[in-house]
């Protein structure tokens, strides 16, 4: 599914294509994809322009020229955006389309219909209501330490909880803990300050790398654990190399933590 880096790519794409163009109309193929009544969405956005964006975790907020009208997009499992001219066929699975008065369109692609679009009037209030914590790239180490200290659960599911910090998905947390040399089953409240700092640093390393690589996994450095998942062509010359820790050569273990498939190095990520 689109994780924080992919949503950041969609944010940048929207900014590059769809700003400052009056909205003429909106079509919605399946109204179950909306979190706001269709007539309200249509009336509120008619004539409005997209002027700014804010991403919090996997949520993309789009400011309009009416401060009280903000579009929220969540890309679910497979959501995407496509900007195109209305003289060509609507892209496949573009189930929600914003038609601009200049003849161009922004399609919200929803292949599996887990995606959502709606309106919010205040982002901070929405995040508070949904118990969504600060974005993973903006949370400070003191806040992260405080949140981790409160939970007597394995650190992996705690980091996956959007009430801890927003935007960390399964592979990202595995990568963060690998880079921080923290075992995913270690109890969150028992982590040392040094480990918390290492996790905070690793969050930035992993997310900044993913964004700079435009979420193309094959372009991640060979020192990243993600290649063990074999999602893209391995950067290793030896096709078997992905099975081993790129730092110490120990066989990568695959287990389940908090109900999620988990990759880690047993030699460097010691269970306390």
């Amino acid at each position: 599914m689109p994780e924080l880096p992919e949503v950041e790519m969609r944010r940048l794409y929207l900014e590059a294509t769809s700003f400052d163009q009056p909205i003429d109309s909106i079509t919605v193929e399946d109204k179950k994809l909306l979190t706001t009544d269709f007539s309200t969405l249509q009336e509120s956005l008619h004539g409005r322009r997209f002027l700014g964006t804010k991403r919090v975790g996997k949520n993309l907020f789009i400011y309009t020229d009416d401060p009280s009208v903000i579009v929220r997009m969540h890309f679910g499992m497979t959501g995407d955006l496509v900007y195109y001219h209305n003289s060509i066929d609507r892209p496949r699975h573009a189930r929600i389309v914003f038609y601009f008065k200049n003849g161009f369109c922004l399609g919200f692609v929803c292949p599996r219909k887990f995606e959502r679009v709606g309106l919010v009037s205040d982002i901070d209030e929405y995040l508070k209501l949904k118990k969504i914590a600060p974005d993973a790239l903006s949370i400070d180490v003191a806040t992260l330490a405080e949140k981790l200290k409160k939970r007597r659960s394995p650190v992996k599911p705690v980091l996956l909880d959007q009430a801890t910090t927003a935007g960390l998905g399964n592979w990202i947390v595995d990568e963060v803990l690998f880079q921080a040399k923290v075992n995913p089953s270690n109890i969150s409240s028992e982590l040392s300050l040094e480990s918390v700092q290492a996790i905070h640093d690793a969050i930035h390393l992993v997310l900044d790398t993913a964004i700079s690589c435009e979420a193309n996994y094959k372009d991640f450095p060979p020192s990243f654990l993600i290649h063990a998942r074999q999602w893209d062509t391995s950067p290793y010359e030896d096709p078997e190399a992905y099975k081993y820790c790129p730092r110490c050569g120990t066989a990568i273990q695959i287990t389940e933590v908090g109900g999620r498939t988990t990759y880690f190095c047993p030699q460097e990520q010691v269970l306390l």
Side-chain angles (χ1 to χ4, degrees):
M1 71 168 61
E3 299 286 0
L4 185 155
E6 286 89 350
V7 177
E8 180 66 8
M9 293 300 102
R10 286 149 179 73
R11 184 187 73 80
L12 295 172
Y13 178 81
L14 188 147
E15 286 195 352
T17 60
S18 305
F19 271 14
D20 203 26
Q21 302 168 55
I23 297 171
D24 185 50
S25 63
I26 304 167
T27 60
V28 179
E29 181 182 290
D30 186 344
K31 293 183 174 60
K32 293 180 181 178
L33 299 169
L34 300 179
T35 57
T36 297
D37 179 74
F38 174 69
S39 61
T40 301
L41 184 74
Q42 180 86 293
E43 292 170 9
S44 299
L45 288 176
H46 180 71
R48 300 270 72 84
R49 302 167 185 256
F50 295 146
L51 297 182
T53 61
K54 180 176 182 177
R55 184 195 47 73
V56 181
K58 302 174 189 178
N59 296 277
L60 176 58
F61 298 96
I62 309 164
Y63 297 101
T64 72
D65 49 0
D66 182 339
S68 66
V69 178
I70 304 167
V71 178
R72 172 188 170 263
M73 294 181 173
H74 193 283
F75 294 90
M77 299 278 295
T78 51
D80 205 350
L81 296 173
V82 58
Y83 183 76
Y84 64 100
H85 195 269
N86 63 16
S87 62
I88 66 174
D89 292 340
R90 183 181 68 175
R92 188 182 183 195
H93 302 312
R95 305 186 197 277
I96 301 174
V97 179
F98 299 85
Y99 291 86
F100 300 115
K101 291 185 178 181
N102 63 2
F104 284 86
C105 311
L106 179 67
F108 187 73
V109 179
C110 312
R112 297 185 63 183
K113 297 188 178 183
F114 291 114
E115 301 74 19
R116 294 293 182 267
V117 169
L119 299 178
V120 301
S121 58
D122 186 292
I123 294 176
D124 290 338
E125 286 186 6
Y126 176 84
L127 296 174
K128 183 177 180 180
L129 178 66
K130 297 297 183 179
K131 298 181 179 179
I132 299 174
D135 184 81
L137 282 172
S138 66
I139 192 168
D140 59 77
V141 68
T143 302
L144 180 62
E146 180 183 359
K147 288 179 175 292
L148 293 176
K149 197 69 176 177
K150 292 179 179 178
R151 303 283 295 276
R152 284 201 57 79
S153 301
V155 64
K156 176 170 180 175
V158 174
L159 287 171
L160 285 171
D161 187 348
Q162 300 302 289
T164 301
T165 184
L168 300 185
N170 192 51
W171 79 260
I172 295 176
V173 170
D174 279 1
E175 192 68 62
V176 164
L177 294 174
F178 174 74
Q179 299 295 338
K181 299 183 180 181
V182 174
N183 189 287
S185 294
N186 285 346
I187 301 302
S188 178
S189 61
E190 297 177 358
L191 294 174
S192 66
L193 289 178
E194 290 78 12
S195 291
V196 174
Q197 181 67 62
I199 290 172
H200 185 267
D201 293 345
I203 288 172
H204 282 265
L205 170 66
V206 173
L207 294 178
D208 289 342
T209 298
I211 292 168
S212 68
C213 292
E214 298 184 351
N216 293 314
Y217 308 119
K218 63 182 176 60
D219 295 332
F220 287 21
S223 58
F224 271 52
L225 178 68
I226 195 170
H227 301 297
R229 295 179 180 271
Q230 300 183 75
W231 287 341
D232 277 317
T233 304
S234 172
Y236 297 110
E237 293 182 6
D238 179 357
E240 294 295 302
Y242 69 85
K243 296 181 179 180
Y244 302 95
C245 174
R247 290 192 296 250
C248 71
T250 301
I252 295 296
Q253 286 195 10
I254 305 174
T255 185
E256 190 174 285
V257 179
R260 305 296 297 274
T261 300
T262 301
Y263 289 66
F264 73 103
C265 171
Q267 177 67 29
E268 296 203 347
Q269 296 172 264
V270 179
L271 181 62
L272 300 178

